[in-house]
Amino acid sequence: MAKATDVRSGASAAERSRSAAETDEIRQALVARLAELQAEYDQSLSEITELQRERVADSAGDDQADTGTKTFEREQEITLANNLLERITQAERAIERLGTGNYGWCERCGNQIPVERLAAFPSATLCVSCKQLEERR
């Protein structure tokens, strides 16, 4: 079943395909990146848990400023962990798109995403033009 992006871009199935070796190379790079991100996320969660234990044990006698500082630091750590989780989701989605044959093609306009952009940001789903439009909104 052809997607709307295939029709708009005029890309044929032959133009959208890549060799098995290229696909395998991309998949290996994405899987390796996913493993790195997952390890970093797991480490981040461990650190958050350990710091939370330390804060509970070391909170006696804290004034409002100390409590506020600890809360801010905890929220900052959680935000960093959530950012890692978002990057993990992006990598998983890129692997999924690779399997369906949509990797490297813009989700919005259907044009091919430049190789340079994919090299810099392997889980990109939008071409540079569409990403710029999205960021302006």
Side-chain angles (χ1 to χ4, degrees), residues 13-32 94-105 118 122:
E15 291 171 325
R16 293 183 71 89
S17 65
R18 61 178 54 85
S19 74
E22 290 172 324
T23 301
D24 190 49
E25 185 178 326
I26 294 167
R27 184 180 319 283
Q28 287 176 10
L30 288 170
V31 168
I95 293 168
E96 179 182 309
R97 287 173 51 86
L98 185 64
T100 61
N102 292 326
Y103 180 80
W105 298 90
L118 291 173

Side-chain angles (χ1 to χ4, degrees), residues 5 8 90 93-94 97 102-137:
T5 55
R8 283 188 299 203
Q90 290 173 349
R93 189 160 173 231
R97 287 173 51 86
N102 292 326
Y103 180 80
W105 298 90
C106 181
E107 289 183 337
R108 182 171 291 152
C109 69
N111 292 330
Q112 190 170 12
I113 299 171
V115 174
E116 296 83 9
R117 176 160 169 69
L118 291 173
F121 186 59
S123 54
T125 58
L126 299 174
C127 66
V128 175
S129 300
C130 290
K131 184 63 177 175
Q132 288 174 339
L133 287 172
E134 182 181 272
E135 289 178 351
R136 287 185 195 145
R137 293 181 182 176

Side-chain angles (χ1 to χ4, degrees), residues 7-123:
V7 174
R8 283 188 299 203
S9 69
S12 69
E15 291 171 325
R16 293 183 71 89
S17 65
R18 61 178 54 85
S19 74
E22 290 172 324
T23 301
D24 190 49
E25 185 178 326
I26 294 167
R27 184 180 319 283
Q28 287 176 10
L30 288 170
V31 168
R33 181 67 181 139
L34 179 60
E36 290 171 12
L37 290 169
Q38 188 65 50
E40 194 174 337
Y41 179 72
D42 292 343
Q43 180 180 356
S44 177
L45 288 182
S46 295
E47 290 173 2
I48 289 171
T49 302
E50 183 61 33
L51 289 172
Q52 187 63 25
R53 279 190 219 135
E54 289 174 11
R55 286 186 186 125
V56 169
D58 190 32
S59 63
D62 283 355
D63 62 10
Q64 289 180 340
D66 291 335
T67 302
T69 299
K70 289 179 182 180
T71 300
F72 174 76
E73 288 173 352
R74 181 179 64 243
E75 288 174 357
Q76 198 171 24
E77 291 160 1
I78 291 170
T79 299
L80 292 173
N82 285 336
N83 287 342
L84 281 170
L85 189 58
E86 176 63 28
R87 291 168 51 200
I88 288 169
T89 302
Q90 290 173 349
E92 289 171 340
R93 189 160 173 231
I95 293 168
E96 179 182 309
R97 287 173 51 86
L98 185 64
T100 61
N102 292 326
Y103 180 80
W105 298 90
C106 181
E107 289 183 337
R108 182 171 291 152
C109 69
N111 292 330
Q112 190 170 12
I113 299 171
V115 174
E116 296 83 9
R117 176 160 169 69
L118 291 173
F121 186 59
S123 54

